[in-house]
């Protein structure tokens, strides 16, 4: 019988292989479709979403609004991931309820879903970092959180770029200044918007909005959990 660490490492290698895969023709076409959908949405939507993502990004790098428990010390990988599974269930349930509530109200409440859902995701990632024993008081760990976020919610081409940096994380962070004064938030918000636009457009429609909102938010949180789990396995293992 293999150890939990050996099993997790095997799962990690499979996930890493998926992250390294280049965009397929279908994925490239899909990116173009997302851009077209993006152009159909009203300017008010673009301004709101851009501002929300920019502010949330800055809050993640510089703020303390996501204060959580201190990093767990002395836990095995199996124990950490048992805790992670419980946290995922809790946050997925919260995201589901939030998506259903905002999706039921049409366009205006659909807009409100963006900062609410992004806040849930970021708070979750701060919790995950602590579960794996990393101190988010270090801005470099906060930057890693933003890389996890991009890895989960970006086009395949951008995923390749982000993952390459994460595979060589120590080399990358050694090149950073003590204080980070600039972050490529424009690329960050554009990738996130393009990834979500079709789903969020459907969430703003009458009748079906609540169903779409609850389903999409639940799936997004679970995808984020899988991405975060393997991203920290990559650091530990």
């Amino acid at each position: 019988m293999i150890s939990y660490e050996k099993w997790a490492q095997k799962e990690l290698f499979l996930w890493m292989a998926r992250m390294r895969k280049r965009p397929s023709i279908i994925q490239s076409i899909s990116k173009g479709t997302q851009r077209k959908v993006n152009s159909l949405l009203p300017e008010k939507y673009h301004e709101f979403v851009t501002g929300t993502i920019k502010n949330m990004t800055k809050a993640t790098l510089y703020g303390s609004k996501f204060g959580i428990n201190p990093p767990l010390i002395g836990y095995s990988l199996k124990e950490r991931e048992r805790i992670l599974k419980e946290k995922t269930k809790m946050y997925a349930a919260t995201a589901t309820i939030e998506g259903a509530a905002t999706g039921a109200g049409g366009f205006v409440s659909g807009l409100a879903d963006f900062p609410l859902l992004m806040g849930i995701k970021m708070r979750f990632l701060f919790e995950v970092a602590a579960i794996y024993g990393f101190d988010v008081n270090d801005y470099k760990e906060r930057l890693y959180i933003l890389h996890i976020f991009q890895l989960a919610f970006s086009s395949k081409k951008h995923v390749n770029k982000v993952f390459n940096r994460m595979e060589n994380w120590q080399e990358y962070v050694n090149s950073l200044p003590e204080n980070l004064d600039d972050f490529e938030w424009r690329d960050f918000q554009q990738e996130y918007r393009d990834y979500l636009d079709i789903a969020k457009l459907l969430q703003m429609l009458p009748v079906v909005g609540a169903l779409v909102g609850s389903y999409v938010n639940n799936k997004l949180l679970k995808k984020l959990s899988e991405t975060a789990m393997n991203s920290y396995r990559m650091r530990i293992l």
Side-chain angles (χ1 to χ4, degrees):
M1 185 175 180
I2 64 172
S3 67
Y4 186 87
E5 285 73 15
K6 288 291 185 183
W7 172 83
Q9 191 174 57
K10 182 179 178 181
E11 293 291 307
L12 172 62
F13 288 155
L14 292 173
W15 175 80
M16 291 173 71
R18 294 204 310 270
M19 294 300 102
R20 294 189 190 109
K21 281 186 177 179
R22 297 299 173 188
S24 65
I25 294 175
I26 293 176
Q27 286 171 328
S28 298
I29 293 173
S30 176
K31 179 69 173 178
T33 303
Q34 291 278 20
R35 294 286 187 182
K36 288 181 180 178
V37 170
N38 195 31
S39 68
L40 297 175
L41 295 168
E43 187 60 30
K44 179 182 178 182
Y45 166 88
H46 293 302
E47 292 175 358
F48 183 84
V49 172
T50 299
T52 296
I53 296 174
K54 181 179 179 180
N55 291 336
M56 192 66 71
T57 303
K58 287 186 174 182
T60 301
L61 286 175
Y62 305 113
S64 58
K65 64 180 292 186
F66 300 109
I68 43 83
N69 296 326
L72 296 181
I73 306 298
Y75 285 68
S76 69
L77 181 64
K78 186 175 182 179
E79 290 171 328
R80 294 180 194 279
E81 297 195 343
R82 178 187 59 78
I83 297 170
L84 172 59
K85 287 176 183 177
E86 292 302 315
K87 288 290 183 182
T88 300
K89 289 178 184 177
M90 184 183 74
Y91 276 88
T94 301
T96 299
I97 295 169
E98 185 273 322
T102 54
F107 180 77
V108 175
S109 64
L111 284 180
D113 176 69
F114 259 92
L116 291 173
L117 179 59
M118 197 167 183
I120 291 170
K121 289 173 180 175
M122 287 300 183
R123 198 171 296 112
F124 174 71
L125 286 177
F126 271 64
E127 292 240 35
V128 177
I131 289 170
Y132 280 97
F134 292 92
D135 185 1
V136 294
N137 288 316
D138 183 345
Y139 89 88
K140 293 174 183 177
E141 292 304 331
R142 295 180 179 218
L143 186 59
Y144 194 72
I145 284 173
L146 289 177
H147 279 69
I148 294 173
F149 196 95
Q150 291 183 87
L151 201 61
F153 307 122
S154 296
S155 65
K156 187 58 180 171
K157 183 178 179 180
H158 194 65
V159 163
N160 292 152
K161 175 184 175 182
V162 172
F163 185 70
N164 180 63
R165 183 180 289 171
M166 292 172 73
E167 275 199 285
N168 302 283
W169 186 251
Q170 198 55 50
E171 179 183 337
Y172 173 66
V173 296
N174 287 341
S175 69
L176 293 175
E178 284 304 310
N179 293 295
L180 190 65
D181 295 320
D182 191 27
F183 179 73
E184 296 172 351
W185 65 266
R186 287 181 176 81
D187 289 341
F188 178 47
Q189 62 90 9
Q190 187 65 59
E191 287 291 334
Y192 184 53
R193 279 171 48 181
D194 288 352
Y195 186 90
L196 297 182
D197 276 345
I198 290 179
K200 289 306 173 185
L201 181 62
L202 292 174
Q203 187 176 341
M204 294 178 188
L205 297 177
V207 184
V208 300
L211 290 174
V212 173
S214 61
Y215 177 80
V216 168
N217 283 10
N218 183 278
K219 290 294 183 183
L220 291 175
L221 202 288
K222 288 179 178 177
K223 180 177 183 181
L224 184 61
S225 177
E226 180 191 16
T227 304
M229 177 181 68
N230 282 295
S231 295
Y232 283 111
R233 281 177 175 176
M234 194 161 60
R235 299 275 298 278
I236 293 172
L237 298 175

